[in-house]
Amino acid sequence: MSGISYQKDHDSIVTLLIDAPDEPVNTLNAAFQKDLSEALDRLEAERDDLAGVIITSAKATFFAGGDLRALITVTPATAAPFFAEIEAIKANLRRLEKLGRPVVAAINGSALGGGLELALACHRRICLDSPRVQIGFPEVTLGLLPGCGGIVRSVRMLGLQTALPYLMEGKRLNPSEALAAGFIDSLASHVPDMMAQARAWIAVTPDAVQAWDVPKARIPGGSPSSPAVAAMLPVAAAMLAQRIHGNYPAPAAILAAAVEGAQVDFDTALRVESRYMTRVASGQVAKNMIGAFFFQLNEIKAGAGRPPLIGRSKVTKVGIAGAGMMGAGIAWACASRGVNCLLADTSMERAEHGKQYSENLLSKRLAKSKTNPDKVSATLARITPTADFAGFVDCQLAIEAVFENRELKAQVIAAVESAMPVNAVLASNTSTLPITGLAKSSKRPGQFIGLHFFSPVDRMQLVEIIKGQQTSEQTLAQAYDFVLQIGKIPIVVNDARGFYTSRVFGTYVNEGMALLGEGVPAALIENIGEQAGMPTGPLAVLDEVSLKLADDVLHQELADLAREGAPAAGIDSTDGGGVVPPAGGTSRRVPPAAIAVLERMVHEFQRSGRAHGAGFYEYPADARKSLWKGLEFFVNEEQCVTTADVHDRLLYAQAVETLRCLQEGVVESHRDANIGSIFGWGFPAWTGGTVQFVNHVGVRRFVARANELAKLYGERFAPPDWVLKRAEQDLEL
């Protein structure tokens, strides 16, 4: 029983102190199951001499949940033994709550997933009131469900209507929220108070029993057959179907397990839950999501992408050149994480306007009680507007965040660098312009790097770090540390036009325009994009980004190619509809059919996107946006693109371009490619990312389908050679 110590005091109260050896957290693994079983054997043997039991943790967290290293290995072939393991864990939890003595969970740290399930199997839950404590069921965010009694006990404690949002949305609650929700019975100001409360409750509740074990117990709010609940369930199912489009098995399984379990006795409900847990855990979507959102994301946060031999650094002051939307957002990201920053622009008025962005965000948070006046004042005090760069003299890092124009950026880079300390790092927030080219404006190219933030900065977690040809390892390490310091997710890529995220994301919107140019109805394109799991359709996305910007970037690319003397390479002019691109050559990124749509929308129809008042969508002041009826101009009733082809073209275009980025060394790890795709532009989370999507499909099947699309629609779908070799060997990527 090495992971659980058994301590009996003079009041005959046993404290089970959970402390998994050689592990940072306690997890619901085979070792814990063995230790718990042995502890229960002893508790049952000594029951007549027991007053009660307190379960707590020797670690900073109470209990972290299931062992994801084991869960990710479950397959349909091992489903039966996995089901038996879940049932064995539940049997022990039932032994605990039917011990015949009061059992209290003294929650000294976060109790998530299996940790909350363990706590719910206790008769009372007392939680330390600390901001570091989180309570909830996050399993659904990993493609799983609370499979050790969490669904069954939550429904019987709170009722179906109240419990389902906590189970299906993965909400993490602070102690006060958990108390209000009903998961926690009381809060404690410190550990001695928590333990004292536990002992006091045991003393006055010698015959504790779970509510569901009381004869004739009823589910709060009614069973699924009661009128109010029966009326709610079809609506809940329809809303869920609309949200997940059949891509995410876990939320549907949670709803089914909750409803079915509420119609049978408690122990049968546990078994129903186990069956659904086995189904989702042995499926591919859970493996995709666990791999991305747990293993790969944690590797990034642990510094997997930074040079390993360079010591950690911390920034205390940042200079930001440009107080527009991006600069203002970066200032918020810094100030909200305790980093002082100077927000500079061409006038004090413009700089003050940039600070207003943070003031507006904080006002909204204050109105929702998500912050307090003192924190608001402290955050705003960290942002200093300025009309010059003189204050950059003591900044360890400066970020250029002006308009995406090479000449303008060159001027700002030179001016900022002249005001900075000689050992400071200078970064450019650019989404497309090559860093090596921008570094020519710097006298210290080794200390120059790209930091590509995503809009809106306050909501988007990813930052793409771009290494120029001369960027030093020290500079890369400092940039990586800074991104982690402000609570963002860094991925590291090498320099190239569009880098990784903009280049691959562009294939989604470009493919949407190409489909439109080939005659596919816009509504079909948009709906299938969302059904595939993208946050929104490609045409709506481009409206938000700006068709005018896309057109400017396209013509900048063509001009650059002409200046570099490069051939008009990449896509044959007959691919995707036979539309001839504008003079100056063929884009390496944009299919000709998409170019034709873009040119007509911007120059002929004068519809440049939402910021300009009109794009693929209409934006009435008093109604929801809707597709512009003029898009019927592009519809070709004789086009023969199937809905399956529309779906696959939108996803495969992104996956194949990612594979090319890996082959070219633009992105160096599958980890950064997957996380970058999900957090950067919203590639469907159920896939595990653009690389894992290939494994999800199966490499051989993916290659066969990609080659089929290449024959039908153009060489942009042809997978690179290294993937063909993996397919020949039947190996995953």
Side-chain angles (χ1 to χ4, degrees):
M1 205 166 64
S2 61
I4 301 178
S5 67
Y6 189 104
Q7 305 166 4
K8 189 174 182 180
D9 65 17
H10 62 278
D11 292 322
S12 297
I13 295 175
V14 170
T15 298
L16 297 181
L17 187 66
I18 309 172
D19 190 9
D22 304 320
E23 295 289 347
V25 294
N26 300 313
T27 55
L28 202 61
N29 55 20
F32 172 77
Q33 169 72 338
K34 178 178 179 294
D35 292 337
L36 179 60
S37 185
E38 291 176 5
L40 286 165
D41 289 343
R42 185 171 175 184
L43 288 170
E44 289 168 346
E46 300 178 4
R47 176 167 42 210
D48 293 343
D49 297 321
L50 293 182
V53 180
I54 301 173
I55 298 179
T56 192
S57 168
K59 300 187 184 296
T61 57
F62 174 72
F63 206 95
D67 183 357
L68 294 174
R69 290 169 295 188
L71 281 167
I72 202 170
T73 66
V74 180
T75 66
T78 61
F82 176 73
F83 175 83
E85 290 173 13
I86 299 173
E87 288 289 278
I89 293 170
K90 290 181 174 180
N92 272 340
L93 295 181
R94 283 299 273 159
R95 290 172 66 191
L96 183 68
E97 65 187 356
K98 298 181 79 173
L99 181 64
R101 295 291 182 270
V103 182
V104 180
I107 304 171
N108 61 300
S110 293
L112 296 170
L116 181 53
E117 290 178 300
L118 172 61
L120 293 183
C122 300
H123 301 109
R124 189 167 183 82
R125 288 156 295 283
I126 303 170
C127 184
L128 190 64
D129 191 7
S130 167
R132 64 179 178 82
V133 174
Q134 293 183 320
I135 306 293
F137 292 116
E139 288 94 337
V140 69
T141 64
L142 298 175
L144 299 168
L145 55 83
C148 289
I151 296 174
V152 179
R153 289 186 174 88
S154 295
V155 167
R156 279 165 166 76
M157 282 178 57
L158 309 177
L160 272 165
Q161 289 177 281
T162 302
L164 281 172
Y166 297 113
L167 296 165
M168 296 173 63
E169 298 171 16
K171 293 181 178 180
R172 296 176 183 234
L173 309 176
N174 63 38
S176 296
E177 292 169 334
L179 178 67
F183 287 115
I184 299 301
D185 296 303
S186 68
L187 301 178
S189 56
H190 46 71
V191 171
D193 177 33
M194 179 178 66
M195 300 304 287
Q197 285 191 44
R199 289 187 171 87
W201 188 83
I202 288 172
V204 299
T205 321
D207 301 316
V209 63
Q210 296 284 38
W212 43 86
D213 287 325
V214 174
K216 297 184 179 181
R218 296 289 183 267
I219 295 174
S223 69
S225 60
S226 63
V229 178
M232 174 273 295
L233 291 176
V235 176
M239 291 177 64
L240 177 63
Q242 185 179 38
R243 180 165 62 90
I244 66 175
H245 299 295
N247 294 319
Y248 297 89
I254 290 170
L255 178 60
V259 174
E260 293 173 27
Q263 301 179 82
V264 295
D265 65 88
F266 186 84
D267 291 307
T268 302
L270 289 176
R271 193 158 57 252
V272 169
E273 181 190 86
S274 296
R275 288 174 178 153
Y276 279 108
M277 176 62 175
T278 303
R279 182 184 298 177
V280 298
S282 60
Q284 185 60 47
V285 170
K287 290 170 179 51
N288 296 343
M289 296 181 73
I290 292 170
F293 293 102
F294 184 77
F295 290 106
Q296 293 182 340
L297 187 56
N298 282 340
E299 287 171 9
I300 286 174
K301 291 180 178 180
R306 76 186 297 281
L309 301 179
I310 296 173
R312 303 279 175 168
S313 62
K314 192 172 183 179
V315 171
T316 58
K317 188 176 180 183
V318 175
I320 302 167
M325 181 178 66
M326 293 306 297
I330 295 169
W332 158 260
C334 292
S336 62
R337 289 288 178 148
V339 179
N340 294 317
C341 58
L342 288 172
L343 185 57
D345 213 304
T346 53
S347 69
M348 183 59 75
E349 181 182 7
R350 292 175 65 89
E352 291 279 6
H353 185 266
K355 183 174 180 176
Q356 184 68 45
Y357 179 86
S358 293
E359 293 176 3
N360 293 340
L361 285 175
L362 288 165
S363 295
K364 293 176 182 177
R365 297 191 177 202
L366 189 61
K368 296 178 180 178
S369 300
K370 292 185 176 181
T371 187
N372 59 58
D374 289 342
K375 290 182 179 179
V376 169
S377 298
T379 300
L380 292 176
R382 296 188 191 107
I383 303 174
T384 303
T386 179
D388 57 51
F389 301 136
F392 285 29
V393 67
D394 58 349
C395 292
Q396 298 101 331
L397 169 70
I399 302 172
E400 167 272 303
V402 300
F403 184 70
E404 199 81 344
N405 176 279
R406 183 177 287 103
E407 289 72 25
L408 175 60
K409 284 183 178 289
Q411 294 173 14
V412 173
I413 288 166
V416 169
E417 188 176 75
S418 65
M420 292 170 56
V422 294
N423 60 344
V425 169
L426 175 56
S428 174
N429 174 59
T430 177
S431 59
T432 58
L433 298 176
I435 291 300
T436 302
L438 292 176
K440 293 178 180 178
S441 303
S442 168
K443 296 178 180 178
R444 304 191 291 269
Q447 294 162 234
F448 189 82
I449 198 165
L451 287 179
H452 174 203
F453 287 80
F454 292 75
S455 181
V457 179
D458 61 287
R459 294 205 300 269
M460 299 297 285
Q461 293 176 267
L462 193 78
V463 175
E464 186 178 33
I465 302 176
I466 307 104
K467 298 182 291 182
Q469 290 180 4
Q470 298 182 64
T471 301
S472 71
E473 294 281 275
Q474 179 71 39
T475 297
L476 172 58
Q478 288 178 252
Y480 199 102
D481 294 343
F482 166 71
V483 174
L484 289 176
Q485 183 182 347
I486 61 172
K488 300 292 185 182
I489 300 168
I491 64 167
V492 179
V493 305
N494 287 304
D495 197 18
R497 185 177 301 279
F499 318 128
Y500 166 60
T501 56
S502 295
R503 171 175 166 178
V504 179
F505 166 68
T507 64
Y508 176 59
V509 296
N510 292 338
E511 203 60 38
M513 286 194 294
L515 286 161
L516 183 65
E518 293 168 32
V520 179
L524 180 65
I525 298 167
E526 297 292 84
N527 287 334
I528 291 180
E530 292 187 14
Q531 289 168 16
M534 296 295 294
T536 190
L539 304 180
V541 172
L542 194 53
D543 261 12
E544 298 294 334
V545 172
S546 167
L547 280 77
K548 177 66 167 62
L549 176 61
D551 185 63
D552 289 344
V553 170
L554 170 65
H555 285 275
Q556 179 70 64
E557 177 196 3
L558 297 176
D560 288 348
L561 290 172
R563 185 171 58 252
E564 295 165 7
I571 300 167
D572 188 271
S573 62
T574 60
D575 291 346
V579 181
V580 178
T586 303
S587 168
R588 290 173 173 170
R589 305 175 301 106
V590 191
I595 292 177
V597 169
L598 184 61
E599 292 290 300
R600 278 186 162 150
M601 288 294 294
V602 174
H603 301 290
E604 182 178 341
F605 302 139
Q606 300 293 302
R607 301 184 69 88
S608 296
R610 183 167 191 166
H612 300 270
F616 293 111
Y617 284 78
E618 298 277 21
Y619 298 96
D622 56 350
R624 295 180 62 182
K625 71 178 184 181
S626 59
L627 282 164
W628 177 46
K629 293 187 181 299
L631 295 180
E632 294 174 1
F633 169 87
F634 296 105
V635 175
N636 178 0
E637 298 293 344
E638 297 181 359
Q639 64 82 21
C640 55
V641 182
T642 66
T643 55
D645 283 2
V646 173
H647 176 279
D648 286 356
R649 282 176 62 175
L650 292 174
L651 293 185
Y652 275 63
Q654 299 175 71
V656 170
E657 194 66 22
T658 295
L659 301 178
R660 290 200 185 101
C661 286
L662 284 163
Q663 177 165 282
E664 296 167 16
V666 176
V667 61
E668 296 177 352
S669 75
H670 295 189
R671 173 192 61 242
D672 283 2
N674 284 328
I675 295 301
S677 67
I678 294 170
F679 287 93
W681 69 88
F683 193 76
W686 63 265
T687 67
T690 44
V691 180
Q692 182 59 23
F693 173 64
V694 180
N695 294 327
H696 175 90
V697 174
V699 180
R700 282 185 173 177
R701 287 180 56 202
F702 180 90
V703 165
R705 178 59 169 150
N707 283 331
E708 181 182 11
L709 293 173
K711 289 179 182 178
L712 290 170
Y713 303 111
E715 284 301 306
R716 63 187 178 277
F717 291 104
D721 292 342
W722 73 275
V723 180
L724 300 180
K725 292 177 182 177
R726 301 291 290 184
E728 290 171 2
Q729 300 171 50
D730 199 21
L731 297 173
E732 282 196 344
L733 302 185

